[in-house]
Amino acid sequence: MVQVKGKKRWNNLKKLLMLGGSLSQLSAIKKAREMGCYIIVCDTNEDAPGKQYAHEFYNISTTDKEAVLKLAKSLHIDGIVCYAADSGAPTVAYVAEKLGLPSHPYKSVEILTNKDLFRKFQKENNFNVPKAKGFNSFDEAKIYFHHFKMPVMIKPVDSSGSRGVSKIESLDQLEEKVENALKFSSSKRFIIEEYIENFGPHIGGDGFSVDGKLVFRCFSNEYFSKGTNPFVPVITTWPYRMSEHIQEKIHYEIQRVLDLLNMKTGSYNFDIRVDENENVYLIEIAPRNGGDCNPEATQYATGVDLIKYTIKAALGEDCSDLQMVEPIGYWATYVINSDKSGIFKGLEIQNDFLEKNVVEHELLVKPNDSISSLSGSHEKLGLMLLTFNSKSDMHEKLSNMEDLVKLKVNKLIISLSLPFLILQEKMAILI
């Protein structure tokens, strides 16, 4: 089904095919319109929020490579983007490669968006990598399980947003967690890998390469939920608090990946750990922008509009003016979430906090909606982009979010789960 808005001729505009029209992808769709593009959106949801900003809309799955290719050919598109979602990244590369449009190599994107393939690539190229192996079933994993040192992580090979991710300590937990992982895997495959203990905060953030060179990166500190899934980031802060020496080591390892995979021009979202011996572990390098307002926070902190550069890259426009910019000030994003399931009744934000610290906020649920405790990014209730006047101000307020932001669930006011509780012993050095 197609929706074409208006009768005006748009032949002079560049046609940009955007895979996905969800709420998390609206910022890229709006930015592309601001930049004067003719917007074509694909989504399986006929009521996708991005539909209202599109010149044309098609009810096609973003993972259906052949269907998207057929559409792209028929429309003579100038570029293709899947913003903030791993699922459509291989489709983007596949279609672009077939049509001679700007993108990264398809095989390289496949490696980066499949945990099984990425671990194999890392091992073959002498990166620091946890012992890992992919499986199709619990029975397969059970036979091999004794080869791993506990604890281990169980992950779907092809999901994002921490969906289906678990940490286990023994064989007794394996079957339940494998079943959970497989629920979120389109290929019905999962990976087991040994757990890496962090030295310092978990590292997130976004970057951008031009002709394969990492010209911009803005690392962040990520802190996790203490709810149903303790591997869902709920607070992200800038600037990154580890030393420049550590940042340069991380930069070097990322660049090695980009060189080996012959990556081109485009955005990346990082998921990285550093151990106590300063060994860098690249958990994921997703070939797309980050979600949960990461690019927006990066722009506030550095002035660099990564969404704009993502669109320019997709259209083959010059991105050579992009340079490294260090963040200024203190910034954070907060994933509004509940520590229990129930009926949502409202949100209360402390007035002074709202006035002085909340730059942007968005609620994704309405009163009387059913909500669940946070098991993955798909169950977030909203987002906040925050600013602070000092490191101590940021530390104090983020450590007391239960007093500043409250949910009304089932007619009772409950405090949001606080990720910092899992790091109480390190509170003095969190930010």
Side-chain angles (χ1 to χ4, degrees):
M1 184 176 180
V2 59
Q3 175 191 19
V4 181
K5 293 192 173 180
K7 297 181 179 180
K8 180 179 178 181
R9 294 181 63 85
W10 303 96
N11 294 343
N12 59 326
L13 301 184
K14 289 188 176 181
K15 291 184 175 181
L16 185 64
L17 178 55
M18 307 197 74
L19 303 186
S22 68
L23 281 171
S24 63
Q25 295 168 313
L26 279 185
S27 55
I29 295 171
K30 290 178 180 179
K31 176 64 67 173
R33 284 208 64 144
E34 287 175 16
M35 293 171 66
C37 296
Y38 183 88
I39 309 300
I40 304 147
V41 171
C42 286
D43 201 299
T44 53
N45 178 10
E46 280 283 2
D47 298 317
K51 183 176 182 178
Q52 64 180 306
Y53 299 99
H55 297 98
E56 297 185 38
F57 177 87
Y58 292 86
N59 185 223
I60 296 175
S61 171
T62 62
T63 61
D64 189 337
K65 294 191 287 288
E66 296 303 332
V68 175
L69 175 60
K70 182 179 178 181
L71 176 68
K73 282 181 176 178
S74 70
L75 296 175
H76 305 288
I77 65 169
D78 296 294
I80 180 170
V81 169
C82 182
Y83 178 76
D86 284 348
S87 56
T91 304
V92 167
Y94 179 79
V95 171
E97 203 165 89
K98 292 289 185 182
L99 299 183
L101 298 172
S103 183
H104 303 299
Y106 172 60
K107 289 298 182 184
S108 299
V109 171
E110 273 198 316
I111 289 170
L112 291 176
T113 55
N114 184 295
K115 296 175 179 65
D116 204 355
L117 296 178
F118 188 46
R119 292 291 178 266
K120 182 174 182 288
F121 161 82
Q122 289 175 297
K123 186 174 181 180
E124 290 174 348
N125 290 283
N126 299 313
F127 287 89
N128 295 316
V129 59
K131 185 173 185 176
K133 187 173 176 57
F135 303 95
N136 294 307
S137 69
F138 163 70
D139 290 334
E140 278 185 16
K142 183 179 179 181
I143 293 170
Y144 192 85
F145 193 71
H146 68 280
H147 291 282
F148 292 107
K149 179 183 177 182
M150 296 297 109
V152 295
M153 301 295 294
I154 316 292
K155 304 176 181 180
V157 299
D158 51 2
S159 75
S160 58
S162 303
R163 292 177 295 179
V165 174
S166 305
K167 177 184 173 185
I168 66 172
E169 303 279 351
S170 70
L171 179 62
D172 294 342
Q173 302 168 284
L174 182 63
E175 185 169 16
E176 176 192 352
K177 300 307 182 183
V178 164
E179 288 179 2
N180 184 48
L182 290 175
K183 288 178 186 176
F184 295 97
S185 173
S186 58
S187 64
K188 298 304 174 186
R189 187 168 172 81
F190 63 96
I191 191 171
I192 299 178
E193 62 184 34
E194 292 180 356
Y195 180 74
I196 302 161
E197 191 67 52
N198 256 343
F199 171 68
H202 189 91
I203 304 155
D206 283 14
F208 197 94
S209 67
V210 176
D211 296 328
K213 297 303 176 186
L214 185 64
V215 297
F216 177 85
R217 39 87 174 162
C218 188
F219 298 134
S220 63
N221 317 285
E222 291 189 346
Y223 304 101
F224 297 93
S225 167
K226 203 187 176 187
T228 305
N229 184 348
F231 298 100
V232 183
V234 294
I235 289 181
T236 303
T237 69
W238 292 264
Y240 178 58
R241 69 175 181 83
M242 300 298 281
S243 69
E244 185 63 27
H245 164 67
I246 295 291
Q247 296 191 55
E248 288 301 325
K249 288 189 72 169
I250 297 169
H251 188 113
Y252 174 79
E253 291 298 296
I254 294 170
Q255 187 61 61
R256 273 220 301 143
V257 171
L258 304 190
D259 290 341
L260 288 165
L261 292 178
N262 193 29
M263 300 300 279
K264 304 301 182 184
T265 300
S267 292
Y268 307 93
N269 179 243
F270 305 126
D271 186 3
I272 301 167
R273 292 197 161 208
V274 177
D275 69 14
E276 62 182 356
N277 297 314
E278 295 189 358
N279 295 310
V280 175
Y281 290 83
L282 304 175
I283 306 302
E284 289 184 23
I285 300 178
R288 45 104 178 152
N289 298 87
D292 292 345
C293 291
N294 271 259
E296 289 87 344
T298 298
Q299 185 173 359
Y300 278 109
T302 67
V304 173
D305 187 347
L306 288 176
I307 303 176
K308 179 187 73 173
Y309 279 103
T310 294
I311 294 164
K312 290 179 68 173
L315 295 171
E317 297 178 1
D318 184 19
C319 297
S320 62
D321 62 327
L322 178 56
Q323 298 178 351
M324 186 63 199
V325 179
E326 295 294 339
I328 297 174
Y330 299 92
W331 305 88
T333 59
Y334 183 72
V335 174
I336 301 170
N337 69 99
S338 176
D339 60 4
K340 72 174 184 178
S341 300
I343 304 299
F344 176 69
K345 292 296 181 181
L347 180 73
E348 291 184 354
I349 305 174
Q350 198 262 352
N351 287 336
D352 191 59
F353 180 68
L354 179 62
E355 180 181 341
K356 294 180 180 178
N357 302 104
V358 180
V359 180
E360 299 178 17
H361 73 285
E362 180 180 26
L363 198 57
L364 304 177
V365 291
K366 304 183 299 296
N368 297 320
D369 281 353
S370 295
I371 62 172
S372 300
S373 59
L374 191 69
S375 66
S377 64
H378 61 297
E379 290 178 327
K380 61 178 172 280
L381 307 181
L383 289 164
M384 286 183 166
L385 202 162
L386 309 170
T387 188
F388 304 91
N389 58 33
S390 66
K391 182 167 65 174
S392 60
D393 181 43
M394 179 164 70
H395 178 269
E396 178 186 356
K397 288 174 180 172
L398 292 179
S399 298
N400 292 283
M401 290 296 283
E402 77 278 13
D403 297 323
L404 302 173
V405 181
K406 296 180 180 180
L407 294 178
K408 293 181 179 180
V409 179
N410 290 340
K411 300 183 180 179
L412 295 174
I413 296 178
I414 63 166
S415 297
L416 299 181
S417 56
L418 194 61
F420 287 88
L421 293 177
I422 65 173
L423 295 170
Q424 279 183 321
E425 71 278 11
K426 300 178 183 178
M427 282 296 293
I429 58 167
L430 269 177
I431 307 301

